[in-house]
Amino acid sequence: KRKKQSDASDILTVTFILTEMALIYWGEQNYKVALEIYQFLVGQYEKSFIKPVFHILDWGMSMGNYGMALEELGYFEKAIGVCRKRIQQTLFAGKGGSLHTSLMVEACILEAQKDVKCKKYFKQDLDLLRLYKMQTNYKLMESYVKTNKIFD
């Protein structure tokens, strides 16, 4: 029993260290290495015999970081796929409040592509933020939408 607990703890430690490394590489503008680390982390979760719903916080953080990194580097279609996968799993786990990041990334991608569907995603994100009483994020998103005249 102790061995299994130790293994689980080791996995969490490795995941934490890799996530921190990716953030450091990203901060140093070594985007390729950061993206490879995020891709590796997501791949490890996908290979796991444990479904993402059972480690939703770590999996969700890895997917969110990976999706945002893909979006910032211009890999829009892949980023949308990552966001949609995260949304499905998050809803399955009953964690609707954390959908904000995925909706925001997808909205920003569609906006960058000049796709009018971005309005739908910005609206859904604002509705979700209001529903979950995430006032700070709501105000930031509302300001962004007004500044960029999304609904005009």
Side-chain angles (χ1 to χ4, degrees), residues 11 13 18 20 22 25-28 36 47-49 51-52 56 61 63 83 97 103 106 118-119 127 142:
I11 291 168
T13 301
L18 286 172
E20 291 297 313
Y25 278 116
W26 191 269
E28 293 295 317
E36 287 174 4
K47 290 177 190 173
S48 174
F49 291 110
K51 295 190 180 292
I56 194 73
M61 181 178 66
M63 290 293 281
C83 288
L103 289 169
E106 199 160 345
C118 73
K119 294 178 183 184
D127 290 345
E142 185 180 48

Side-chain angles (χ1 to χ4, degrees), residues 3-103:
K3 177 71 174 144
K4 287 182 182 179
Q5 288 175 343
S6 177
D7 289 348
S9 178
D10 291 347
I11 291 168
L12 289 175
T13 301
V14 169
T15 301
F16 175 77
I17 291 170
L18 286 172
T19 300
E20 291 297 313
M21 288 174 58
L23 291 170
I24 291 168
Y25 278 116
W26 191 269
E28 293 295 317
Q29 298 180 346
N30 194 340
Y31 304 124
K32 185 177 180 190
V33 174
L35 191 62
E36 287 174 4
I37 293 171
Y38 290 138
Q39 190 171 11
F40 173 79
L41 286 168
V42 167
Q44 292 305 107
Y45 285 114
E46 289 174 355
K47 290 177 190 173
S48 174
F49 291 110
I50 301 170
K51 295 190 180 292
V53 71
F54 295 109
H55 43 89
I56 194 73
L57 295 177
D58 296 326
W59 178 86
M61 181 178 66
S62 292
M63 290 293 281
N65 288 341
Y66 186 43
M68 285 190 282
L70 287 166
E71 185 260 338
E72 287 186 35
L73 295 176
Y75 299 110
F76 297 138
E77 293 306 312
K78 186 145 177 104
I80 286 173
V82 168
C83 288
R84 289 184 179 164
K85 190 173 192 175
R86 184 173 181 225
I87 287 169
Q88 283 180 323
Q89 196 60 244
T90 304
L91 285 172
F92 180 72
K95 299 284 186 185
S98 62
L99 291 176
H100 155 66
T101 305
S102 295
L103 289 169

Side-chain angles (χ1 to χ4, degrees), residues 117-133:
K117 286 189 283 186
C118 73
K119 294 178 183 184
K120 171 183 139 185
Y121 288 93
F122 279 117
K123 171 126 179 45
Q124 287 176 343
D125 191 29
L126 285 166
D127 290 345
L128 183 74
L129 292 170
R130 189 172 351 154
L131 176 68
Y132 282 91
K133 296 178 174 55

Side-chain angles (χ1 to χ4, degrees), residues 107 109-119:
I109 290 168
L110 293 169
E111 178 193 12
Q113 294 176 334
K114 309 264 189 262
D115 189 329
V116 294
K117 286 189 283 186
C118 73
K119 294 178 183 184

